Amino acid sequence: MGRPSRAHEVRRLILDGAADIFSRRGYRATSMNEIAAAVGLSKPTLYHYFHNKEEILVRLYEEVMSDAVDDAVEISESVEDPREVLHRLLVYRVRTTCERQSIHKVFFEEEEELPRDLVETVIEQRRRYEDVYRTQVRRFLDDHPDPPDIDVTVFVNSCLGAANWVYKWYRPDGPRTPEQLGREIAFYALHPLG
């Protein structure tokens, strides 16, 4: 695999810069001029890579969902024990959300700004992502000699709520690394499984 192209590097710079600004100022309050200035590009150069602000937002959403689904599937296929799969999924979710806090804040707070046709795609991708969790919980319950009495959907939504909400309160200078925080949240979230 070769080195990323200059165009890929510039797009990455723009997406990361836009996520940071959107997370601080909000999507609507941010202009293309501000994005260009933040990443050290002229406005015409920025428009060479992205036609408008909406295209940047769409790319951010597509990236978050695609990465989340791909990573969840990879983890679920690489580990046999369903409880361990759930543990790894939650640790990964927390760690990724902490490490890419800006983009996740945008993801969770700017959905109403998406074009209508993309909203359905995001919902479908989210469903696919949650299905990975539901499948693992059902596998665990089916294999358990004395399964706990839990509602699978409520359980999964509670786990994901705990994992996703860290974008609101995680501080990089806090007492835990993203990995440590992920392990701790996974421990608490999976406790009902025994």
Side-chain angles (χ1 to χ4, degrees):
M1 190 192 283
R3 186 169 178 264
S5 70
R6 171 78 178 135
H8 175 79
E9 290 174 356
V10 173
R11 283 189 191 93
R12 178 79 268 144
L13 177 72
I14 294 167
L15 290 170
D16 291 343
D20 182 56
I21 297 170
F22 291 163
S23 75
R24 285 184 287 107
R25 293 184 37 82
Y27 173 78
R28 284 191 185 195
T30 301
S31 70
M32 288 292 273
N33 281 336
E34 289 172 291
I35 296 170
V39 298
L41 297 174
S42 68
K43 193 171 174 185
T45 302
L46 177 62
Y47 278 107
H48 172 75
Y49 291 99
F50 292 99
H51 294 97
N52 53 41
K53 192 169 67 165
E54 183 178 88
E55 184 182 359
I56 294 172
L57 185 67
V58 166
R59 284 288 299 277
L60 290 171
Y61 268 83
E62 289 173 343
E63 180 180 298
V64 169
M65 284 312 309
S66 175
D67 289 351
V69 171
D70 291 349
D71 294 335
V73 168
E74 183 180 320
I75 290 168
S76 68
E77 291 176 351
S78 67
V79 178
E80 184 58 35
D81 176 51
R83 192 180 194 291
E84 180 61 22
V85 171
L86 290 165
H87 176 83
R88 290 187 189 191
L89 287 170
L90 288 169
V91 171
Y92 186 81
R93 175 83 269 130
V94 170
R95 190 179 73 234
T96 303
T97 301
C98 292
E99 290 172 349
R100 301 196 65 207
Q101 202 167 3
S102 294
I103 195 171
H104 285 92
K105 180 176 183 186
V106 172
F107 183 80
F108 292 120
E109 295 184 4
E110 299 288 355
E111 191 170 316
E112 70 277 357
E113 300 297 338
L114 290 170
R116 300 302 300 149
D117 58 326
L118 185 64
V119 171
E120 286 304 313
T121 303
V122 168
I123 290 170
E124 178 55 35
Q125 288 283 76
R126 187 176 291 145
R127 213 173 278 129
R128 285 185 60 211
Y129 180 73
E130 292 167 358
D131 280 345
V132 174
Y133 283 79
R134 281 191 282 272
T135 297
Q136 297 305 318
V137 173
R138 288 188 189 105
R139 281 185 60 219
F140 174 85
L141 295 174
D142 289 346
D143 293 348
H144 201 283
D146 185 24
D149 183 21
I150 60 171
D151 180 292
V152 173
T153 299
V154 172
F155 180 76
V156 168
N157 287 341
S158 298
C159 290
L160 289 174
N164 291 334
W165 195 250
V166 298
Y167 87 89
K168 279 281 206 189
W169 55 265
Y170 172 72
R171 297 292 170 262
D173 59 351
R176 290 171 187 82
T177 67
E179 178 76 19
Q180 291 168 330
L181 184 60
R183 288 196 307 263
E184 191 167 347
I185 288 174
F187 172 79
Y188 292 131
L190 299 177
H191 185 72
L193 298 183

